[in-house]
């Protein structure tokens, strides 16, 4: 988290910033297709807020779009970048979301999941705040090319099989997988009982 805090004010710059924007734009399109009538939207690991800006444009009927990030400087960078009164930001961990059960129509997370300290707990929290039938759109490092990294001490859901198992355990049913080359994949998962 320290690295993200230190880079917050220049996170959107350079080739890496352009890449993050491209991933966010693609993820926003997937999310808007998955849940076009979303009223309340949550972005877990919102960074500088670029994805929520994209979603605010694509979901004009949304009543509230909330971004949370574990790095306070990211939230501080995101806040002044929006003039949309529906959008707000706060500091929170994926593993401990400060929202009521069944309170969101759409949860998104883009290039954040790999950094969660407890992926199963974070997914359980995403499911807890989603209404039954609503969707999670998760875009992250999920590729068969990454299977060797699952053998190291950094054990993460970097393959489709691992990600599917974690989603299933959290009562999130994967309905669509979309590759975002070279190593990213977006999964749309529906909240089930």
């Amino acid at each position: 988290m320290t690295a993200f805090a230190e880079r917050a004010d220049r996170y959107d710059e350079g080739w890496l910033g352009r890449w993050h924007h491209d991933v966010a734009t693609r993820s926003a399109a997937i999310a808007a297709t998955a849940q076009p009538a979303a009223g309340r939207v949550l972005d877990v690991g919102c960074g500088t807020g670029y994805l929520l800006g994209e979603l605010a444009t694509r979901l004009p009927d949304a009543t509230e779009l909330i971004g949370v990030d574990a790095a306070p400087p990211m939230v501080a960078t995101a806040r002044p970048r929006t003039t949309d009164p529906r959008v707000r930001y706060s500091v929170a961990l994926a593993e401990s979301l400060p929202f009521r059960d069944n309170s969101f129509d759409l949860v998104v997370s883009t290039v954040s999941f790999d950094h969660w300290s407890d992926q199963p707990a974070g997914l359980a929290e995403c499911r807890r705040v989603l209404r039954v039938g609503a969707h999670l759109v998760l875009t992250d490092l999920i590729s068969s090319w990454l299977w060797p990294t699952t053998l190291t001490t950094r054990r993460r859901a970097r393959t489709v099989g691992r990600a599917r198992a974690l989603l299933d355990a959290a009562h999130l049913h994967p309905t669509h997988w979309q590759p975002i080359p070279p190593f990213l994949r977006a999964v749309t998962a529906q909240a089930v009982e």
Side-chain angles (χ1 to χ4, degrees):
M1 184 173 78
T2 303
F4 292 104
E6 292 171 355
R7 291 183 28 220
D9 61 341
R10 54 187 198 287
Y11 189 77
D12 293 326
E13 297 174 1
W15 70 268
L16 191 55
R18 288 188 301 277
W19 178 77
H20 280 117
H21 288 184
D22 179 57
V23 170
T25 299
R26 290 178 187 213
S27 298
I30 294 166
T33 299
Q35 202 78 37
R40 293 190 77 223
V41 178
L42 175 64
D43 180 2
V44 179
C46 66
T48 61
Y50 186 84
L51 175 60
L52 273 188
E54 288 285 308
L55 287 170
T57 299
R58 292 173 187 267
L59 300 171
D61 296 328
T63 56
E64 190 173 24
L65 298 101
I66 300 171
V68 298
D69 201 283
M74 284 292 194
V75 171
T77 300
R79 282 185 177 136
R81 292 186 177 190
T82 186
T83 57
D84 190 323
R86 302 173 300 155
V87 178
R88 68 182 173 94
Y89 298 96
S90 62
V91 176
L93 298 173
E95 300 84 356
S96 182
L97 296 172
F99 305 107
R100 290 179 290 114
D101 294 359
N102 308 308
S103 58
F104 288 94
D105 303 302
L106 175 64
V107 174
V108 296
S109 183
T110 302
V111 198
S112 164
F113 182 60
D114 198 58
H115 301 286
W116 296 359
S117 62
D118 186 336
Q119 289 178 328
L123 288 174
E125 278 291 277
C126 289
R127 170 57 193 95
R128 180 185 66 76
V129 301
L130 273 170
R131 292 184 174 100
V132 172
H135 290 90
L136 165 71
V137 174
L138 179 73
T139 302
D140 219 299
L141 294 165
I142 301 172
S143 171
S144 59
W145 290 97
L146 296 170
W147 75 266
T149 66
T150 64
L151 303 174
T152 67
T153 56
R154 185 181 167 129
R155 300 191 53 95
R156 299 286 185 221
R158 290 195 158 174
T159 65
V160 170
R162 282 174 170 260
R164 184 182 304 278
L166 289 176
L167 290 163
D168 285 342
H171 302 280
L172 292 160
H173 177 69
T175 59
H176 184 71
W177 296 85
Q178 183 168 334
I180 299 178
F183 296 113
L184 298 180
R185 191 171 301 238
V187 57
T188 302
Q190 189 171 39
V192 295
E193 294 278 357

